[in-house]
C-alpha cells in the first residue's frame, strides 16, 4: 500500500484470479486498485476503483512500493514470474529488477515512469532511425503520429526476426509480439500482449538492457515489462512501417 497524491493505492498479485474479473495473459497478474481514502479508525480502505493491470507485458510481478520522505511514491517490479521455466535456469539464475518508477495519478489514471535520475545513464544521443547493430543497452524516446499504424522490430537480425512492437494510433492499440524474438519460452501463455490506447498522437519511452525491455506509453499511462533472450546478432532496430520520430540514447548501466 502506497499513497499517491494522498490517495491509497493497493498493489498486489492475486494468484488464481478468475479472468472474468480481469483480462490478463500471464500465469499470474500484477494488479492495483486506487482508493479514495483510508479510514484509520475502522482500518478500512474506502472507495475502491475497479481492479486493473499494473503492467501489460510478459513479466512484471511482486511489485514493491514505498513512500519517500519527500512524499513521492516509488515502485520496483520483479521481472520474472513464478512457476515459469526461463532460459537462464540452467545457470541457476532467474529474474531481475525493473527500473525504479515514480507513481502519479492524472485524470483518475495511475501513471508509472522511471525516476529522473535514470537520464544520467545516457552517454550519447542521436536522431532515431533504423540501426543494423546496437549494443542492446539503449533508450528510445519516440513519438508516433495520429491515424497511423507503426511497427518497430527490436532485437532484430538480418533474417527479419525480432521483438515486434506495433503502435496503432488509428485503431487505438499497442501490440507486443515476441514469437520471433530470441529463445522461446513460456509459450503456453501466449506470445502476444496488447492494450488499448486513445486514437491520438502517442509517445513511447523504451528502455532496453540486454535481455530486458521496459516500454512506457504516454509517459507511463500504460507499461509493458518483458524479458527477451536474443540469439547472437539479434541486436538491431528496424522501422517496419509508419513514421515514428525521436531520439536514440546509448546507455551505460
Amino acid at each position: 500500500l502506497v499513497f499517491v497524491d494522498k490517495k491509497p493505492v493497493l498493489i498486489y498479485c492475486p494468484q488464481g484470479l478468475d479472468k472474468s474479473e480481469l483480462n490478463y495473459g500471464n500465469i499470474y497478474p500484477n494488479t492495483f486498485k486506487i482508493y479514495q481514502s483510508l479510514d484509520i479508525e475502522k482500518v478500512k480502505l474506502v472507495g475502491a476503483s475497479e481492479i486493473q493491470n499494473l503492467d501489460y507485458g510478459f513479466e512484471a510481478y511482486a511489485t514493491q512500493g514505498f513512500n519517500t520522505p519527500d512524499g513521492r511514491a516509488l515502485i520496483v517490479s520483479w521481472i520474472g514470474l513464478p512457476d515459469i521455466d526461463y532460459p537462464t535456469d540452467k545457470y541457476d539464475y532467474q529474474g531481475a529488477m525493473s527500473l525504479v518508477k515514480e507513481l502519479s495519478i492524472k485524470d483518475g489514471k495511475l501513471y508509472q515512469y522511471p525516476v529522473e535520475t535514470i537520464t544520467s545513464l545516457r552517454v550519447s544521443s542521436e536522431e532515431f532511425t533504423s540501426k543494423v547493430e546496437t549494443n542492446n543497452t539503449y533508450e528510445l524516446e519516440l513519438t508516433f503520429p495520429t491515424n497511423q499504424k507503426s511497427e518497430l522490430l527490436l532485437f532484430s537480425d538480418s533474417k527479419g526476426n525480432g521483438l515486434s512492437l506495433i503502435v496503432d494510433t488509428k485503431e487505438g492499440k499497442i501490440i507486443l509480439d515476441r514469437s520471433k524474438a530470441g529463445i522461446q519460452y513460456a509459450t503456453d501463455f501466449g506470445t502476444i500482449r496488447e492494450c488499448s490506447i486513445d486514437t491520438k498522437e502517442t509517445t513511447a519511452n523504451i528502455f532496453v538492457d540486454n535481455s530486458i525491455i521496459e516500454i512506457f506509453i504516454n509517459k507511463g499511462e500504460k507499461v509493458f515489462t518483458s524479458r527477451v533472450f536474443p540469439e547472437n546478432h539479434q541486436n538491431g532496430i528496424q522501422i517496419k512501417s509508419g513514421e515514428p520520430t525521436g531520439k536514440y540514447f546509448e546507455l551505460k548501466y
Side-chain angles (χ1 to χ4, degrees), residues 97-237:
M97 305 303 290
S98 74
L99 296 172
V100 179
K101 298 163 283 188
E102 183 172 353
L103 300 179
S104 61
I105 296 175
K106 302 174 185 177
D107 299 323
K109 298 179 181 179
L110 185 69
Y111 283 69
Q112 48 182 316
Y113 195 73
V115 293
E116 180 64 26
T117 49
I118 295 298
T119 59
S120 66
L121 300 175
R122 297 172 177 174
V123 294
S124 65
S125 172
E126 59 187 82
E127 292 299 312
F128 173 69
T129 187
S130 292
K131 298 177 75 69
V132 174
E133 184 177 4
T134 74
N135 59 7
N136 273 348
T137 53
Y138 58 83
E139 174 191 354
L140 303 178
E141 190 172 67
L142 305 178
T143 299
F144 296 85
T146 187
N147 201 36
Q148 190 176 102
K149 182 179 180 180
S150 302
E151 181 179 7
L152 303 181
L153 204 60
L154 310 174
F155 301 98
S156 66
D157 61 20
S158 59
K159 299 178 181 179
N161 298 308
L163 178 71
S164 169
L165 172 64
I166 293 175
V167 179
D168 190 340
T169 58
K170 186 175 182 179
E171 298 295 329
K173 63 176 65 176
I174 305 289
I175 302 173
L176 188 66
D177 183 345
R178 68 177 183 188
S179 61
K180 295 184 178 180
I183 301 170
Q184 296 294 293
Y185 66 99
T187 55
D188 289 348
F189 298 95
T191 58
I192 293 175
R193 296 290 184 268
E194 62 181 274
C195 74
S196 61
I197 57 171
D198 292 334
T199 52
K200 63 180 183 180
E201 182 179 271
T202 297
T203 66
N205 285 73
I206 302 170
F207 295 82
V208 169
D209 181 12
N210 291 296
S211 67
I212 295 171
I213 183 166
E214 298 182 63
I215 304 169
F216 298 87
I217 302 298
N218 293 329
K219 298 297 183 180
E221 179 185 3
K222 299 288 178 69
V223 179
F224 288 76
T225 302
S226 298
R227 298 299 301 269
V228 177
F229 296 92
E231 303 279 9
N232 290 335
H233 309 300
Q234 291 182 338
N235 57 1
I237 301 172

